[in-house]
Amino acid sequence: MSLKVGRIPYMICEPFYFDTERRGMQLVDTMPNRAVAEIEEGVIDAALVPVVDTYGKDDVLQPVGGFCIASTDRSGSVFLYSRVPIEELTGARIGIIEDSRTSIKLLQVLLKLRHKVEPAEFVGLRDDHDAFMVMGDRGLRQRRGARGFEYRYDLGEQWYEWTRLPFVYARWMARQGIDSQALAVLEDTLYVGLEDGVDTLYHISEPRENLLMLPRDVVEYVQGIRFYLGMTEQKSMRIFQEYTQQLDS
């Protein structure tokens, strides 16, 4: 039986899927905020999962190597746009999308713990708001700015300036109990994807018109991303989990 692998439809995730179908795996479209539930329900066997959705899930999930999506000193795609400086957002309504709870939690950590800001509420993007967050491909399309919102903050950059660490948004996780040989094949497939798939992004010759990106824009963006956990990424995840626990204390 072939593995069912969740496919996140963001450009930066594309390298991971470079070799999956050739290796006999079935790609199933999903979104970050649905990935864990679909693993638990058996819809998929493995996927990139938002880091915050892995907390307390050791009985359900296991890491697939150290594969991840992390930013170095900037995200390039996770932005907060605001009508006022970030330090003045106490009492504000902030628009968010639910695609990835890690980015939302990062925003909450930065607002409360770094900038000492207490927004009035988080609302949908269609509701009236004083600031809003975008991420993923939508963040790439809107990376140049937003009319009427003078202030732009890259949340990966905000984290780096505060901690001097990269930030990990998601990591590859698989269902507990998955066949060990199938898991090893998936790990090998992801390694190949990083070698060949990332190289493909570096050498694209056509614009990504849906993202308003020229080839050089894609290269600049990819250069700020890490796809495998090192010691600094591990440290960053530990610190971030501690901060998220402080939000609820």
Side-chain angles (χ1 to χ4, degrees):
M1 181 177 176
S2 64
L3 283 183
K4 293 175 290 186
V5 175
R7 175 168 52 192
I8 308 296
Y10 297 159
M11 181 187 72
I12 200 58
C13 302
E14 290 175 7
F16 288 121
Y17 313 121
F18 186 85
D19 202 39
T20 47
E21 291 183 304
R22 188 187 69 82
R23 300 291 289 270
M25 299 177 193
Q26 178 184 351
L27 290 176
V28 179
D29 290 337
T30 188
M31 292 298 290
N33 60 340
R34 300 201 307 263
V36 169
E38 292 185 352
I39 290 174
E40 291 181 302
E41 295 164 4
V43 177
I44 55 178
D45 298 304
L48 267 169
V49 171
V51 164
V52 297
D53 289 349
T54 68
Y55 299 163
K57 292 287 186 177
D58 291 346
D59 60 330
V60 178
L61 303 174
Q62 60 178 315
V64 183
F67 299 100
C68 71
I69 295 289
S71 60
T72 53
D73 57 354
R74 56 177 174 77
S75 73
S77 62
V78 185
F79 297 106
L80 175 71
Y81 289 102
S82 177
R83 301 186 192 278
V84 299
I86 194 170
E87 297 83 3
E88 298 177 16
L89 284 174
T90 290
R93 290 163 57 89
I94 299 179
I96 58 173
I97 53 177
E98 293 288 344
D99 282 4
S100 175
R101 283 182 280 268
T102 298
S103 296
I104 295 171
K105 193 65 71 173
L106 172 60
L107 174 61
Q108 294 171 334
V109 164
L110 290 169
L111 290 174
K112 183 173 182 178
L113 302 183
R114 184 183 185 193
H115 295 289
K116 314 303 179 185
V117 166
E118 291 281 1
E121 60 181 323
F122 293 92
V123 299
L125 291 184
R126 294 186 178 182
D127 300 312
D128 291 336
H129 51 263
D130 307 293
F132 70 95
M133 187 194 78
V134 289
M135 54 153 295
D137 283 5
R138 179 168 182 162
L140 288 174
R141 285 192 295 272
Q142 209 160 359
R143 68 193 183 280
R144 302 298 186 192
R147 183 175 299 176
F149 294 83
E150 179 181 355
Y151 298 91
R152 185 190 77 158
Y153 300 92
D154 182 311
L155 299 191
E157 185 175 46
Q158 283 275 309
W159 174 262
Y160 179 78
E161 289 174 351
W162 189 30
T163 66
R164 312 313 290 182
L165 292 169
F167 187 79
V168 184
Y169 301 89
R171 62 180 306 186
W172 272 90
M173 306 294 288
R175 173 176 46 83
Q176 283 283 9
I178 196 172
D179 178 76
S180 59
Q181 184 175 357
L183 185 62
V185 171
L186 176 58
E187 288 191 31
D188 185 64
T189 302
L190 296 179
Y191 274 119
V192 172
L194 289 191
E195 290 181 4
D196 296 340
V198 173
D199 187 67
T200 297
L201 286 179
Y202 273 121
H203 292 94
I204 63 170
S205 58
E206 298 295 328
R208 288 292 185 106
E209 294 183 359
N210 63 316
L211 301 176
L212 307 177
M213 299 179 78
L214 297 172
R216 66 172 178 269
D217 299 322
V218 174
V219 170
E220 181 181 0
Y221 173 52
V222 175
Q223 285 175 336
I225 301 298
R226 291 179 182 170
F227 297 92
Y228 204 84
L229 298 172
M231 292 183 62
T232 54
E233 286 79 19
Q234 294 278 6
K235 179 179 179 181
S236 180
M237 286 196 300
R238 290 194 299 270
I239 291 173
F240 181 62
Q241 185 170 8
E242 291 171 3
Y243 284 157
T244 61
Q245 292 167 349
Q246 290 181 37
L247 291 180
D248 302 322
S249 62

